[in-house]
Amino acid sequence: MTEAFKKDVEAGLDAKPKTLPSKYFYDKKGDALFVEIMNLPEYYLTPCEMDIFQNKTQELINELGLKPESYFELIELGAGDGTKTKELLRSLDSQNYSFDYFPIDISSNALELLEKDLSQELPNVAVQTKQGDYFTVLASLKVSKKPKIILFLGSNIGNMTDDLAAEFIYNLGANLQAGDRLLLGVDLIKSKEIVLPAYNDPNGITAKFNHNLLNRINNELEGNFNLNDFEHRPEYDEKEGIAKSFIVSTSNQTVEIKSIGKSYHFIKGEKIHTEISRKYNDELIEKIIENTDFIIQSKILDNKGYFADYILAKKNQI
């Protein structure tokens, strides 16, 4: 992990404009901060998708085409703490559905905590945690040929550009069989007044989450970022439908990263682009899946109409 981290940080800070990959937000501290973010009143994404999982659970089960007597594998990409998924697991367990739950995450810490929680809360659910890259794990699970339901929740797809999202969905399909389904949770395009506070809460938790990336560089790559000299600054364009996160230098300064063997100069106001969060509508989802093996089977909205869980089915190849 350290070598990959070093390589990605060097490539990102050498780029013009400078970037850092958002996947490195997540270590033990980052995981804890993101759990805090998900519980913030401004961060509507989690409660809106939770509303679907709590209040439309049976509709989800029905639209996924699940039958109690037919075994399937429930595979979650980027499972995190599994809060929303537990609602689905609880309902499936109470109705005696036959399945195994495979949470996949890059964070071994998150998986350990999730496995421990599930062993206490839902001891009858068979859990097989898988740490690592989504597609490596999916390729290993592909050999089973069992029916699969893939969960990709929390609008995580929105952290990709549209081209990367299309490639991601295409590659997912390559690891699935006809009839398998993908439950894709996405944030819908809304006004700036609703979206922007979700990425810039007044308590500064989101800022700490973004700063943790610099903290990791300091701790793991021997960097000397002064966190007080960098500011978290998100932006959102309603027309474009994309929220962007930046870490902005508040002065002219030079940062050394010893393990890379380089120093990086920042001018006052210079941005490091860390993350995008794309918002969607039906037209955008159709565009992203147009060259894949998926079709939209249905869409389930939360009660506010802020968030959607699209159910995509893999069609038969011609």
Side-chain angles (χ1 to χ4, degrees), residues 267-279:
I267 61 171
K268 184 177 181 179
E270 186 174 0
K271 300 175 180 178
I272 307 173
H273 187 198
T274 57
E275 187 175 31
I276 65 164
S277 184
R278 151 65 90 189
K279 313 305 172 187

Side-chain angles (χ1 to χ4, degrees), residues 202-269:
N203 293 319
I205 307 300
T206 320
K208 287 181 185 176
F209 181 62
N210 278 261
H211 277 138
N212 188 52
L213 206 163
L214 302 185
N215 201 45
R216 285 194 69 183
I217 295 172
N218 287 349
N219 294 336
E220 298 173 37
L221 303 181
E222 299 178 88
N224 67 345
F225 279 97
N226 184 337
L227 273 57
N228 293 323
D229 291 338
F230 288 88
E231 178 181 274
H232 165 62
R233 195 181 299 167
E235 299 174 2
Y236 177 63
D237 182 328
E238 286 178 37
K239 188 174 181 182
E240 186 184 32
I242 299 176
K244 298 175 182 177
S245 290
F246 299 94
I247 299 171
V248 182
S249 177
T250 58
S251 64
N252 295 326
Q253 58 184 307
T254 299
V255 174
E256 182 185 7
I257 304 177
K258 286 184 180 178
S259 73
I260 294 175
K262 287 184 179 179
S263 293
Y264 296 93
H265 182 67
F266 293 84
I267 61 171
K268 184 177 181 179

Side-chain angles (χ1 to χ4, degrees), residues 117-175:
D117 286 348
L118 288 173
S119 69
Q120 295 170 349
E121 294 180 41
L122 293 164
N124 295 325
V125 173
V127 181
Q128 299 187 45
T129 61
K130 302 285 181 182
Q131 194 268 331
D133 172 79
Y134 297 155
F135 295 114
T136 303
V137 176
L138 280 174
S140 71
L141 295 174
K142 185 180 180 181
V143 296
S144 75
K145 304 296 183 187
K146 301 293 185 183
K148 292 175 175 59
I149 303 294
I150 307 293
L151 306 180
F152 196 44
L153 309 178
S155 208
N156 284 329
I157 191 77
N159 296 143
M160 307 175 196
T161 64
D162 291 350
D163 287 345
L164 282 176
E167 183 181 349
F168 182 86
I169 300 291
Y170 178 86
N171 288 333
L172 271 183
N175 286 282

Side-chain angles (χ1 to χ4, degrees), residues 191-209:
S191 72
K192 186 175 184 177
E193 288 72 26
I194 296 169
V195 173
L196 204 51
Y199 301 93
N200 197 24
D201 66 282
N203 293 319
I205 307 300
T206 320
K208 287 181 185 176
F209 181 62

Side-chain angles (χ1 to χ4, degrees), residues 24 38 124 236 297:
Y24 294 116
M38 289 192 294
N124 295 325
Y236 177 63
Q297 180 177 297

